Amino acid sequence: MSDPLAKLLTICRTSKLSDLKQLKQLHAQIIQNSLHHQDYWISLLIQQCTQIRAPFSYAHLIFLSIPNPNVFLLTSVLKFYSQLGPQYHHHIFSLFHQIRHSSNHHLKPDAFIYPILIKISGKNSINPLHGHVFKLGFASDHFVRNAIMDMYAKYGPINLARQLFDEMPDRKIADWNSMISGYWKWGYQEEASRLFESMPEKNVISWTAMVTGYSKSGDLENARKVFDEMPDKSVVSWNAMLSGYAQNDFVEEGLKLFEKMMDSCDFKPDETTWVTIISSCAAKGDPQLAKSLVSSIDRRKINLNCFIKTALIDMHAKCGSLETARQIFDEMGVQRNLVSWNAMISAYTKNGDLMSARKIFNEMPEKNVVSWNSLISGYAQNGQSAMAIELFKEMTTTKAIYLKPDQITMVSVISAYGHLGALELGKWAMDFFTKNQIKLNISVYNSLISMYSRCGSMEDAKKTFQEMPTRDVISYNSLIAGFASHGRATEAIELMSKMKEEGIEPDRITFMAVLTACSHAGLSKQGREIFKSIRKPAIDHYACMVDLLGRTGQLDEAKMLIDEMPMKPHAGVYGALLNASRVHKRVELGELAAYKLFELEPENSGNYVLLSNIYASMERWEDVEKIRELMRKRGVKKTTGWSWVEFEGKVHRFIVGDRSHKYSEEINKVLKELGKKMIDLGYVADKSCVLRDVEEEEKEEMVGTHSEKLAIGFALVVSGDDARGVIRVVKNLRVCGDCHRYIKMISKLVGREIVVRDNNRFHCFKDGECSCEDYW
């Protein structure tokens, strides 16, 4: 062999090319030596493409330069395609089809091709391929046999993998490792441990599989024990243990282990290590820790690839440095991938900057389900439910198969429908999910229970709860909270008892929901007993008890409970006392609670309004004006009251005195006619909630055009003669006393059930009565 050829062969076999530029230089030398039409040299080039993950287009052109490739070259190309990802797998099957149907007897598939095919085929093709290689006589080949067993171990049934393993006359370490990983995947911890202990010989992969298995099952103690006992470690081993700590929220332990790794001279962190540690720092949300880590990266002159930079974007965003996150994102330029774009969207939504998040979303060259989910959940979590729903509808109209909504989409969308109280829209979404065969996991079921509860349909909420294959504490809490908001205290208490019977321990939220239910139903005795049963009552439990005592008129006892609390009262405690003082017209306690609230949450307009209501009900207009002046000085603006009702797939919103709606004339006409009938029945407008000293006629006009009345008027106009349908209204503030009495009378006059959800609870009006029994 000539010297140039020998040199080229040495380069191909021994050198580790690091980038495309070096690969192209090697390619040029092969061309200069007129070797570029020989299968052997092209195959070696393809192998180098595989090592450096060269672009598909470049490797594909190299392959096409050989008109009649041999099996050796085709195998090299198949290996290259297999490491590119699922979107390139059709090239593998196309080539395999070409090989099988070729008239060239030199192109018959050999045993080297089948392991590649088996690994990329997925669970639906295991059995046919197994039968195919058995017929061809390749089933005894060690690599083919291991590939089949490995696929059964991954996709099941695991017993078939074990059967193949037991039939092997000469098991290799790789066979043992495949079985151990398979047992861990399917949750057979004891089998995995037993097999590991019986291995005649172990390698670093065997030990790492055990570390990974214990970590994923949450057994960090045994994972660390195995890790410490490892005779030899690799960077992958360290990463497995670090990932275990990160995934189980043991951030401090993970960072200590990382420091130990950095002190070792034998191991250098790779990109997976850095991404894991950066993600751990992100979870901790400590700006100082983030700064220290960035300094360490700079000091070591770590090459920041797109994965590390994406992790840094997430870390800086979670540590409150959104500007730095955006700077890294902008500097990435062409390095940006889908994950980095999605990280930036998530960063903006978590900081409440929906405008910037939408701008990034619109600029994305391509989007995936995560992109849509990040933006939809961002709108839903930041109170823009209508926008979240519009975005979901836009998503469902896209024709791309890979943009099919998933379970995460469902949770966000269902939450948005629940916030709006849009029951019919929620049912439309459920029909969509059913048609698209989107499976319901426990999180989706829990969201559905909350949605139905918040839409006023407790029967649907109960039905969903009963249909669940498994339930957790959130499932129970969701339904109990629903009963609480509807004032169905007996059912809430019974459900908590059932929860205990099923071995699920009530948590802080459970007790809050049950106490709230007792409060809404006026069950003082039962509420006291439940409160006493809590081992260590939290501050929110005290707030619930103050509310319970206050609603039942025991305000002095409520005040005594506040004074005896073992912790400093928060706004919820004083808010409960203030509202009780408004209901029972205890001015002195109302003033005490209000001024405490002015200190704790000076920008909450609701507290100023409640105290003003107390003064107005007593006609203390000078005091009302003092509160109004205090609000002006502090720049506090009264929250606008909204009410909305759903009709024909849209949510129609109204504010007090609203005349902007296209049906305004018809609404006012209906309300006027009803008003005349109500006066004949003895209705007199309650003007005590008007916060100004104005003429009686003007006061009556003010209360007569409250948003919930307009919403009900709209529902009556558009529903026509349909006296069967339930009218569902949602209000963002607490319903006032006049509206409450007004709606009771309307429900009797029109013979319709009217369900109103205010910011405190549900009111189901029927035949002149309300389910709250005037406790709200």
Side-chain angles (χ1 to χ4, degrees):
M1 186 182 289
S2 64
D3 288 343
L5 292 182
K7 185 179 178 182
L8 274 178
L9 191 58
T10 303
I11 292 171
C12 288
R13 286 180 172 172
T14 62
S15 66
K16 289 187 178 179
L17 305 182
S18 59
D19 56 35
L20 187 60
K21 184 180 178 181
Q22 292 178 3
L23 179 59
K24 285 182 176 180
Q25 288 172 353
L26 175 63
H27 191 182
Q29 290 182 51
I30 288 173
I31 293 171
Q32 284 173 4
N33 286 276
S34 301
L35 302 171
H36 55 292
H37 292 308
Q38 296 183 19
D39 285 10
Y40 177 79
W41 293 98
I42 294 301
S43 179
L44 287 176
L45 264 181
I46 296 291
Q47 288 174 28
Q48 293 293 333
C49 285
T50 305
Q51 285 182 18
I52 69 162
R53 292 180 173 264
F56 166 77
S57 56
Y58 179 71
H60 193 59
L61 283 173
I62 294 174
F63 170 64
L64 293 177
S65 68
I66 297 291
N68 296 303
N70 62 19
V71 171
F72 183 64
L73 173 54
L74 286 167
T75 305
S76 298
V77 173
L78 289 174
K79 285 180 181 177
F80 171 75
Y81 287 150
S82 68
Q83 55 95 44
L84 290 177
Q87 64 269 40
Y88 292 98
H89 287 174
H90 66 281
H91 289 288
I92 296 176
F93 291 108
S94 176
L95 274 178
F96 178 64
H97 183 76
Q98 179 185 332
I99 296 167
R100 284 188 65 195
H101 296 88
S102 172
S103 58
N104 185 349
H105 70 279
H106 294 297
L107 271 183
K108 294 304 174 189
D110 62 10
F112 291 104
I113 288 177
Y114 285 99
I116 300 169
L117 285 172
I118 292 164
K119 285 177 183 177
I120 65 141
S121 346
K123 59 182 177 181
N124 296 326
S125 302
I126 305 173
N127 288 334
L129 272 171
H130 189 182
H132 183 68
V133 297
F134 187 82
K135 286 177 184 177
L136 292 172
F138 294 139
S140 59
D141 179 88
H142 173 72
F143 294 104
V144 173
R145 191 180 54 191
N146 178 264
I148 292 171
M149 187 191 74
D150 190 60
M151 291 301 279
Y152 281 128
K154 283 178 181 175
Y155 297 116
I158 188 69
N159 61 303
L160 282 182
R162 183 56 190 257
Q163 186 180 327
L164 284 172
F165 178 79
D166 290 339
E167 290 171 358
M168 289 180 176
D170 55 333
R171 300 182 192 118
K172 308 292 184 187
I173 293 181
D175 302 319
W176 289 82
N177 291 343
S178 292
M179 276 309 305
I180 289 170
S181 296
Y183 277 133
W184 276 117
K185 176 181 169 55
W186 296 99
Y188 295 106
Q189 179 176 326
E190 289 182 9
E191 288 294 331
S193 301
R194 194 179 297 119
L195 210 59
F196 177 76
E197 293 300 328
S198 61
M199 282 182 78
E201 183 185 357
K202 303 177 182 74
N203 62 10
V204 69
I205 298 172
S206 319
W207 289 89
T208 304
M210 294 301 292
V211 173
T212 303
Y214 279 123
S215 295
K216 286 185 176 177
S217 66
D219 187 353
L220 273 299
E221 186 178 339
N222 271 318
R224 184 57 186 265
K225 183 173 179 289
V226 172
F227 178 79
D228 290 338
E229 290 174 357
M230 287 180 73
D232 295 298
K233 296 183 180 73
S234 66
V235 173
V236 178
S237 315
W238 286 87
N239 290 345
M241 195 64 240
L242 290 169
S243 295
Y245 282 132
Q247 290 161 7
N248 289 278
D249 294 326
F250 286 84
V251 177
E252 295 288 350
E253 288 83 351
L255 293 173
K256 285 177 185 175
L257 184 65
F258 176 66
E259 287 176 14
K260 189 175 180 181
M261 182 183 185
M262 297 301 290
D263 291 337
S264 171
C265 300
D266 300 326
F267 301 101
K268 187 178 180 182
D270 62 8
E271 68 177 46
T272 303
T273 317
W274 286 109
V275 168
T276 301
I277 293 304
I278 293 167
S279 299
S280 294
C281 288
K284 201 164 174 62
D286 183 344
Q288 290 302 115
L289 185 61
K291 187 177 179 181
S292 171
L293 184 61
V294 170
S295 297
S296 178
I297 291 171
D298 291 340
R299 193 167 57 253
R300 290 177 170 82
K301 297 181 180 179
I302 303 301
N303 177 39
L304 303 182
N305 62 18
C306 66
F307 302 106
I308 296 174
K309 285 182 179 178
T310 300
L312 285 170
I313 289 171
D314 185 56
M315 181 186 76
H316 284 297
K318 287 178 178 173
C319 292
S321 184
L322 199 55
E323 287 183 12
T324 307
R326 182 57 192 262
Q327 185 182 340
I328 295 169
F329 177 78
D330 290 338
E331 288 171 355
M332 287 178 74
V334 294
Q335 266 194 308
R336 295 175 195 153
N337 58 14
L338 258 173
V339 180
S340 48
W341 283 92
N342 290 340
M344 205 63 235
I345 292 172
S346 179
Y348 278 126
T349 56
K350 284 173 183 173
N351 281 270
D353 187 353
L354 298 177
M355 189 179 293
S356 296
R358 187 60 188 261
K359 188 172 184 294
I360 290 283
F361 179 82
N362 291 339
E363 291 172 356
M364 290 181 75
E366 63 172 317
K367 304 174 181 72
N368 63 3
V369 175
V370 178
S371 319
W372 288 85
N373 287 350
S374 296
L375 197 60
I376 290 170
S377 64
Y379 279 121
Q381 291 165 10
N382 284 279
Q384 294 200 31
S385 298
M387 280 302 300
I389 292 166
E390 285 303 310
L391 197 63
F392 169 67
K393 287 181 177 178
E394 187 182 331
M395 181 185 185
T396 59
T397 59
T398 57
K399 294 180 180 178
I401 298 172
Y402 59 87
L403 283 180
K404 183 180 176 182
D406 59 14
Q407 293 167 338
I408 297 170
T409 322
M410 287 180 69
V411 171
S412 297
V413 171
I414 290 167
S415 170
Y417 285 130
H419 175 75
L420 289 175
L423 182 61
E424 295 308 313
L425 280 170
K427 287 182 176 178
W428 170 83
M430 280 309 302
D431 288 340
F432 174 86
F433 299 140
T434 303
K435 286 176 186 175
N436 287 273
Q437 298 180 327
I438 301 173
K439 291 182 180 179
L440 307 185
N441 60 17
I442 195 166
S443 298
V444 178
Y445 274 112
N446 293 342
S447 297
L448 278 172
I449 294 168
S450 293
M451 182 196 78
Y452 285 128
S453 299
R454 299 194 74 188
C455 290
S457 181
M458 285 309 299
E459 294 313 306
D460 283 322
K462 283 171 64 178
K463 184 182 175 186
T464 302
F465 179 83
Q466 289 161 359
E467 288 174 353
M468 293 181 75
T470 55
R471 305 182 188 103
D472 60 9
V473 67
I474 299 171
S475 315
Y476 277 93
N477 289 348
S478 299
L479 191 57
I480 291 170
F483 285 136
S485 64
H486 284 77
R488 292 161 66 166
T490 303
E491 287 165 283
I493 295 168
E494 287 173 355
L495 193 57
M496 187 172 74
S497 299
K498 182 182 177 183
M499 177 182 184
K500 291 177 181 176
E501 288 170 11
E502 289 196 7
I504 300 175
E505 281 299 310
D507 62 8
R508 182 182 64 86
I509 296 170
T510 316
F511 285 115
M512 278 178 60
V514 175
L515 287 171
T516 300
C518 292
S519 179
H520 285 167
L523 302 182
S524 176
K525 182 182 177 183
Q526 292 91 326
R528 289 171 190 269
E529 289 172 359
I530 290 165
F531 182 74
K532 287 177 183 176
S533 73
I534 305 172
R535 291 192 196 95
K536 291 183 179 179
I539 191 166
D540 291 326
H541 300 135
Y542 279 96
C544 290
M545 273 307 294
V546 170
D547 187 58
L548 172 60
L549 294 168
R551 284 171 188 274
T552 51
Q554 302 169 79
L555 273 77
D556 292 323
E557 189 177 344
K559 173 64 170 61
M560 194 181 301
L561 182 65
I562 294 172
D563 293 338
E564 293 173 355
M565 281 173 61
M567 69 283 287
K568 192 175 180 180
H570 63 17
V573 174
Y574 285 117
L577 183 63
L578 175 59
N579 185 59
S581 302
R582 176 190 65 83
V583 173
H584 297 285
K585 297 185 179 180
R586 290 287 298 272
V587 181
E588 74 290 350
L589 281 178
E591 288 175 328
L592 182 148
Y595 281 97
K596 288 285 187 182
L597 287 166
F598 295 163
E599 294 174 15
L600 291 169
E601 40 181 28
E603 295 179 3
N604 185 345
S605 64
N607 300 322
Y608 299 88
V609 172
L610 276 175
L611 183 57
S612 294
N613 279 335
I614 294 173
Y615 288 144
S617 67
M618 310 291 290
E619 297 192 354
R620 289 171 53 172
W621 302 115
E622 288 184 10
D623 290 322
V624 170
E625 187 54 39
K626 283 180 185 177
I627 298 300
R628 290 170 64 85
E629 180 61 29
L630 181 61
M631 289 176 73
R632 281 193 290 269
K633 280 183 179 178
R634 294 185 175 183
V636 179
K637 293 184 179 179
K638 184 178 180 293
T639 302
T640 302
W642 288 92
S643 291
W644 55 89
V645 64
E646 183 186 4
F647 177 65
E648 291 186 343
K650 290 185 179 180
V651 174
H652 297 258
R653 299 206 303 172
F654 299 87
I655 60 171
V656 63
D658 200 337
R659 294 186 181 275
S660 62
H661 200 279
K662 67 177 182 178
Y663 285 106
S664 282
E665 194 174 324
E666 291 91 336
I667 292 168
N668 289 325
K669 185 179 177 182
V670 165
L671 292 179
K672 197 170 184 179
E673 290 173 358
L674 285 170
K676 288 178 183 177
K677 294 177 182 178
M678 289 168 67
I679 289 169
D680 292 340
L681 293 174
Y683 168 74
V684 178
D686 179 3
K687 300 177 281 290
S688 64
C689 58
V690 177
L691 301 185
R692 291 200 304 242
D693 184 13
V694 294
E695 295 298 323
E696 291 297 306
E697 189 176 334
E698 189 178 345
K699 286 184 183 179
E700 195 163 326
E701 170 70 17
M702 287 177 177
V703 297
T705 57
H706 277 187
S707 61
E708 51 267 63
K709 292 174 183 173
L710 296 176
I712 291 169
F714 168 76
L716 291 171
V717 168
V718 296
S719 60
D721 298 327
D722 182 11
R724 295 168 299 173
V726 177
I727 295 173
R728 300 180 189 277
V729 177
V730 178
K731 177 162 180 155
N732 66 330
L733 302 176
R734 193 186 297 255
V735 65
C736 75
D738 177 71
C739 285
H740 194 265
R741 197 159 71 93
Y742 181 95
I743 300 169
K744 282 201 290 188
M745 296 189 76
I746 284 185
S747 71
K748 188 171 184 177
L749 280 171
V750 300
R752 298 278 291 275
E753 183 179 352
I754 303 172
V755 177
V756 178
R757 187 187 92 197
D758 67 8
N759 70 343
N760 188 51
R761 63 162 295 156
F762 271 91
H763 303 265
C764 297
F765 300 93
K766 193 174 182 180
D767 298 326
E769 299 295 330
C770 179
S771 60
C772 76
E773 297 180 357
D774 297 338
Y775 282 102
W776 88 93

